[in-house]
Amino acid sequence: MVAKLREHLSTCQPTVYIFMTAQLIDGNTIAAKVRARVAEAVQARLAAGKPRPGLATVLVGDNPASQVYVRNKRKACAEVGIESFGYELPKTATQVEVEALVAQLNADPRVHGILVQLPLPEGLNEERVLNAISIYKDVDGFHPVNIGKLSMKGREPLFVPCTPAGCLALLEDAGARFKGANAVVLGRSNIVGLPVAMLLLHRDCTVTICHSRTKDLPAICRNADILVAAVGRAEMVRGDWVKPGAYVIDVGINKIPDATKKSGSRLVGDVAFDEVKEVAGYLTPVPGGVGPMTIAMLLQNTLRGAEHADCAG
Ligand code: GUN
């Protein structure tokens, strides 16, 4: 593989490269700094007699991955002094019941953020549930008003979706230069691909969004100064897809079989880490890259919700 990568590198401009492995962007450390700042701000609020920020999590059904995500989010809240209110509904819950819970949380002054864990069980209308969340408590940033503002020039959503915000924070921390950079986003999901593309556009990148119908993906990726992979396909981005020195953000979390592990599996990203680290300038690992940032941004958004409520009275 190294020979193949050397061949790829030799075809790139400029023609002389010093072979160096990418610098890892350590999401655990960067997220810990964000969490520490949030914890400090929560303590300052309490000392000033302001209410403790509160996050309501809504888990519908028994998707095991969603259960783990919600548990981790609530644990992270406790660690920074944010109160969390966990609501669980059975997978048989009706649309009316889910929306009634959201309405109750919209009216609850202890709640500054509402997170309805996705995906919802089949039969529930996700769009209608997300529309029902108050835009002032929409800490996921998925309400069409917040997404609409994110998609427009000169508008500021109150909340930016957590994973995309985390990707930008990682790039900033690593010193990425955005203005005029070619940014390629693999994936066009509402949760990651689309909003991260908008954020990169706001930072004056030239953004290409790729998807399952995109022709010659490797060639487009090779042009990327910033590459964000959010497709959910294990190790899809190969070493020879990457421009030497590029910033590569791997959003994927995929379980693949691994007989050497006790569990019989391991987690990998959408990026073939061992290959790409030989070419990229900066790279996020999986786990320990984007994952911890998503939760840190959720905490930051919940604090923002509480601060907004202070102003709104
Ligand atoms: N499911 C996967 N990612 C997310 C997220 O960021 N927020 C919510 N609510 N559900 C998710």
Side-chain angles (χ1 to χ4, degrees), residues 3 78 101 124 135 153 171 185 188 211 266 276 281 291-292 303 308:
L101 175 57
L124 290 172
I135 58 167
K153 217 173 145 182
L171 286 166
V185 178
R188 54 178 162 179
H211 46 78
R266 70 187 160 98
V276 171
L303 173 65
H308 182 272

Short mmCIF file of all heavy atoms in Angstrom, two decimals, residues 3 78 101 124 135 153 171 185 188 211 266 276 281 291-292 303 308:
data_model
loop_
_atom_site.label_atom_id
_atom_site.label_comp_id
_atom_site.label_asym_id
_atom_site.label_seq_id
_atom_site.Cartn_x
_atom_site.Cartn_y
_atom_site.Cartn_z
N ALA A 3 3.69 1.71 -1.34
CA ALA A 3 4.18 1.96 -2.71
C ALA A 3 3.10 2.65 -3.53
O ALA A 3 3.38 3.60 -4.26
CB ALA A 3 4.58 0.64 -3.35
N ALA A 78 -24.52 15.94 33.51
CA ALA A 78 -24.28 15.89 34.96
C ALA A 78 -22.86 16.38 35.27
O ALA A 78 -22.63 17.09 36.26
CB ALA A 78 -24.48 14.47 35.46
N LEU A 101 -45.73 15.50 24.43
CA LEU A 101 -44.58 15.59 25.33
C LEU A 101 -43.71 16.79 24.95
O LEU A 101 -43.27 17.56 25.81
CB LEU A 101 -43.76 14.29 25.28
CG LEU A 101 -42.45 14.30 26.07
CD1 LEU A 101 -42.68 14.64 27.55
CD2 LEU A 101 -41.73 12.94 25.96
N LEU A 124 -43.62 7.09 12.97
CA LEU A 124 -43.68 8.45 13.52
C LEU A 124 -43.12 9.41 12.48
O LEU A 124 -42.13 9.11 11.79
CB LEU A 124 -42.89 8.54 14.81
CG LEU A 124 -43.51 7.81 16.00
CD1 LEU A 124 -42.56 7.79 17.19
CD2 LEU A 124 -44.85 8.44 16.40
N ILE A 135 -38.23 26.90 18.72
CA ILE A 135 -36.91 27.24 18.12
C ILE A 135 -35.94 27.76 19.18
O ILE A 135 -34.74 27.77 18.96
CB ILE A 135 -37.02 28.26 16.95
CG1 ILE A 135 -37.68 29.55 17.39
CG2 ILE A 135 -37.72 27.65 15.75
CD1 ILE A 135 -37.52 30.67 16.36
N LYS A 153 -27.61 33.58 3.72
CA LYS A 153 -26.53 34.54 3.95
C LYS A 153 -27.02 35.60 4.93
O LYS A 153 -28.17 36.04 4.85
CB LYS A 153 -26.23 35.20 2.60
CG LYS A 153 -24.80 35.49 2.37
CD LYS A 153 -24.59 35.97 0.97
CE LYS A 153 -23.48 36.99 1.00
NZ LYS A 153 -23.22 37.55 -0.31
N LEU A 171 -11.60 21.71 13.09
CA LEU A 171 -10.80 22.31 12.01
C LEU A 171 -10.15 23.60 12.49
O LEU A 171 -8.97 23.87 12.22
CB LEU A 171 -11.70 22.59 10.80
CG LEU A 171 -12.11 21.36 9.99
CD1 LEU A 171 -13.24 21.68 9.02
CD2 LEU A 171 -10.90 20.81 9.21
N VAL A 185 -17.53 17.71 1.01
CA VAL A 185 -18.32 17.01 2.04
C VAL A 185 -18.88 15.75 1.41
O VAL A 185 -19.58 15.81 0.39
CB VAL A 185 -19.46 17.91 2.56
CG1 VAL A 185 -20.31 17.16 3.58
CG2 VAL A 185 -18.90 19.20 3.16
N ARG A 188 -24.95 13.87 2.38
CA ARG A 188 -25.86 15.02 2.33
C ARG A 188 -27.01 14.87 3.33
O ARG A 188 -28.14 15.28 3.07
CB ARG A 188 -26.43 15.19 0.92
CG ARG A 188 -27.08 13.92 0.38
CD ARG A 188 -27.67 14.13 -0.99
NE ARG A 188 -27.88 12.85 -1.65
CZ ARG A 188 -28.42 12.71 -2.85
NH1 ARG A 188 -28.78 13.76 -3.53
NH2 ARG A 188 -28.58 11.52 -3.38
N HIS A 211 -22.44 12.68 -3.04
CA HIS A 211 -23.43 11.71 -2.56
C HIS A 211 -23.35 10.45 -3.42
O HIS A 211 -22.44 10.33 -4.26
CB HIS A 211 -24.83 12.34 -2.61
CG HIS A 211 -25.11 13.06 -3.88
ND1 HIS A 211 -25.45 12.41 -5.01
CD2 HIS A 211 -25.03 14.39 -4.18
CE1 HIS A 211 -25.59 13.29 -5.98
NE2 HIS A 211 -25.34 14.50 -5.50
N ARG A 266 -14.95 -4.09 15.89
CA ARG A 266 -14.32 -2.83 16.31
C ARG A 266 -14.93 -1.69 15.52
O ARG A 266 -15.59 -1.92 14.48
CB ARG A 266 -12.80 -2.89 16.13
CG ARG A 266 -12.35 -2.90 14.71
CD ARG A 266 -10.84 -3.14 14.61
NE ARG A 266 -10.51 -3.62 13.29
CZ ARG A 266 -10.06 -2.83 12.31
NH1 ARG A 266 -9.85 -1.56 12.52
NH2 ARG A 266 -9.80 -3.33 11.11
N VAL A 276 -4.79 6.92 5.05
CA VAL A 276 -4.96 8.37 4.94
C VAL A 276 -3.98 9.12 5.83
O VAL A 276 -3.53 10.21 5.48
CB VAL A 276 -6.44 8.75 5.22
CG1 VAL A 276 -6.62 10.26 5.33
CG2 VAL A 276 -7.33 8.19 4.11
N GLY A 281 -2.60 16.05 6.08
CA GLY A 281 -1.82 16.86 7.02
C GLY A 281 -2.36 16.72 8.43
O GLY A 281 -1.61 16.68 9.41
N GLY A 291 -16.78 12.35 17.64
CA GLY A 291 -17.75 11.86 18.64
C GLY A 291 -17.84 12.72 19.89
O GLY A 291 -18.91 13.23 20.23
N PRO A 292 -16.72 12.91 20.60
CA PRO A 292 -16.80 13.70 21.83
C PRO A 292 -17.21 15.16 21.59
O PRO A 292 -17.78 15.80 22.48
CB PRO A 292 -15.39 13.63 22.42
CG PRO A 292 -14.54 12.94 21.42
CD PRO A 292 -15.40 12.29 20.40
N LEU A 303 -26.43 25.52 27.23
CA LEU A 303 -26.07 26.75 27.96
C LEU A 303 -26.60 27.97 27.20
O LEU A 303 -27.16 28.89 27.79
CB LEU A 303 -24.54 26.81 28.11
CG LEU A 303 -23.96 28.09 28.69
CD1 LEU A 303 -24.40 28.28 30.14
CD2 LEU A 303 -22.42 28.05 28.61
N HIS A 308 -30.35 32.46 26.49
CA HIS A 308 -31.41 33.09 25.71
C HIS A 308 -32.65 33.30 26.57
O HIS A 308 -33.30 34.33 26.52
CB HIS A 308 -31.76 32.28 24.46
CG HIS A 308 -32.80 32.94 23.64
ND1 HIS A 308 -34.15 32.75 23.86
CD2 HIS A 308 -32.71 33.86 22.65
CE1 HIS A 308 -34.83 33.51 23.03
NE2 HIS A 308 -33.98 34.19 22.28
#
